[in-house]
Amino acid sequence: MNNTVEQIDADHNVLSPVKVTGDAQEMLHEVVPAKKTAPQPHYRDTVGQDGELPLAPRLILALKKRTEKAPNYYGEPGQGDARLVSVISVIGFICLWALVTEAGWIKPLFLPSPISVVERLGDLVVNGFSGVSLGEHLLASLTRVFGAFALAAITAIPLGILIGTNVWVRGVLDPLIEFYRPLPPLAYLPLVIIWLGIDETSKITLIFLAMFAPIALSARAGVSSAKSEQIQAAYSMGASKFQVLYHVIIKSAMPEILTGLRIGIGFGWTTLVASEMVAAQAGIGYMVLNAAEFLVTDVVIAGIIIIGLIAYSFDLFMRWLEKKLVPWKGY
């Protein structure tokens, strides 16, 4: 053996620098195994340990550690808690809004400052608008939207399930729904007025039609979520057609149905303003339109904020309801 070994530290089991090649090197590896190194911690777990990092990267790493929950570092995309990021983004948007308005970059006629909008909201709570209190405006709009939503839910969901499960019903109703679904509500608003007049019936009907199509189509799409293996297994265990429909098909369609309800209520809020264009005396949409005619921009923005907060609160409720009713969603 031509190669030489300078020193082997037997106490620490560490191999000193050697000059070996070929078979001698393999023999030395058998005598002195390579030293194992501990796995390095993930960078999210080392936040705050490196004091040399600038402040901004440290804040970003701390935010990532707070939002991205272990052990899903390399799991499904989008996992984690985004509430902190949402709060920061909303605060940042409000600060940007205040900056551009207080600095005079945008005139108050086009975009009032957040302080002005908050003051106007307080004035609306105390004095109302156009001789009607804010509570009456809210009650009128909520009655129209959620009244139409209830009617759409109790009619569109059963029809959507029938469309998905019965070829005859699908042949009759599917073309009609697909025909009017892309039409904007303002397109058939004159026809609704001609048929039903200008009272509350026409307003609720217009919102109902805007909600009906997405809810029905979501229920129809949900029916296809039931796998044929599940249906055949239920029949093989002696289940009746009604039991298969309820326990297999409808429960498989529940995630799609709840998603359709969330989409439908969104269409309802967007149609509310159009429905309150016609002979309305109260309502948030009416308030926004009336204020726009007189260029009262702070009332317009205040009304938009009210509609957005109510719609977002209902959407959060629907998300909570979805977790309770369909905890198996995504599995």
Side-chain angles (χ1 to χ4, degrees):
M1 182 182 302
N2 297 326
N3 301 316
T4 59
V5 179
E6 294 183 355
Q7 184 179 359
I8 297 178
D9 191 344
D11 296 333
H12 298 87
N13 197 25
V14 177
L15 180 63
S16 298
V18 295
K19 297 180 181 179
V20 292
T21 58
D23 297 337
Q25 186 175 9
E26 295 179 4
M27 293 173 61
L28 288 174
H29 278 297
E30 293 178 1
V31 176
V32 184
K35 184 179 180 181
K36 296 182 179 180
T37 58
Q40 296 296 322
H42 197 277
Y43 76 93
R44 297 178 183 86
D45 298 327
T46 61
V47 175
Q49 297 179 7
D50 190 354
E52 297 180 358
L53 284 176
L55 178 61
R58 276 189 288 155
L59 290 176
I60 294 174
L61 289 176
L63 184 60
K64 284 185 175 182
K65 186 177 181 180
R66 182 71 179 270
T67 55
E68 299 179 10
K69 296 180 178 179
N72 291 329
Y73 291 155
Y74 307 104
E76 300 84 355
Q79 294 295 313
D81 189 355
R83 289 177 293 182
L84 180 60
V85 179
S86 299
V87 171
I88 293 174
S89 64
V90 171
I91 294 175
F93 174 77
I94 295 175
C95 292
L96 179 62
W97 177 13
L99 174 64
V100 299
T101 53
E102 295 296 335
W105 297 342
I106 300 178
K107 294 182 179 181
L109 176 63
F110 301 104
L111 183 64
S113 66
I115 298 175
S116 300
V117 174
V118 171
E119 291 175 351
R120 176 61 71 173
L121 278 171
D123 181 69
L124 290 173
V125 172
V126 176
N127 301 317
F129 182 79
S130 187
V132 181
S133 67
L134 182 61
E136 292 174 331
H137 284 300
L138 283 172
L139 180 62
S141 293
L142 292 175
T143 301
R144 292 162 185 154
V145 172
F146 287 105
F149 177 74
L151 291 174
I154 62 177
T155 55
I157 293 175
L159 283 177
I161 294 173
L162 282 175
I163 291 172
T165 55
N166 190 291
V167 65
W168 292 96
V169 178
R170 181 164 65 251
V172 173
L173 296 181
D174 194 55
L176 299 176
I177 296 176
E178 290 289 356
F179 172 77
Y180 99 87
R181 178 182 62 85
L183 298 176
L186 286 175
Y188 48 83
L189 174 60
L191 191 60
V192 173
I193 294 174
I194 293 173
W195 287 349
L196 303 175
I198 58 175
D199 58 359
E200 291 297 313
T201 305
S202 62
K203 297 176 179 60
I204 294 177
T205 302
L206 186 69
I207 301 173
F208 164 81
L209 290 174
M211 293 181 178
F212 181 86
I215 296 176
L217 293 179
S218 297
R220 175 198 167 183
V223 170
S224 61
S225 300
K227 298 180 180 179
S228 59
E229 293 85 356
Q230 296 173 321
I231 298 174
Q232 293 169 5
Y235 278 128
S236 66
M237 297 177 68
S240 64
K241 288 186 177 181
F242 177 79
Q243 290 174 326
V244 171
L245 177 65
Y246 176 74
H247 291 287
V248 179
I249 296 177
I250 293 180
K251 288 189 176 181
S252 298
M254 280 300 294
E256 295 285 348
I257 291 174
L258 292 174
T259 301
L261 292 175
R262 291 173 57 189
I263 296 173
I265 195 68
F267 279 101
W269 282 110
T270 57
T271 312
L272 172 69
V273 178
S275 68
E276 292 181 346
M277 290 174 60
V278 182
Q281 300 299 321
I284 300 299
Y286 161 79
M287 183 180 74
V288 170
L289 292 171
N290 196 10
E293 292 180 359
F294 297 97
L295 299 180
V296 189
T297 314
D298 50 0
V299 174
V300 174
I301 295 178
I304 292 172
I305 292 174
I306 292 172
I307 293 175
L309 289 176
I310 295 174
Y312 185 61
S313 300
F314 183 78
D315 189 74
L316 291 177
F317 169 73
M318 291 299 296
R319 294 182 191 180
W320 173 84
L321 189 64
E322 187 177 59
K323 291 181 180 179
K324 296 297 181 181
L325 294 179
V326 287
W328 63 85
K329 181 179 179 181
Y331 292 95

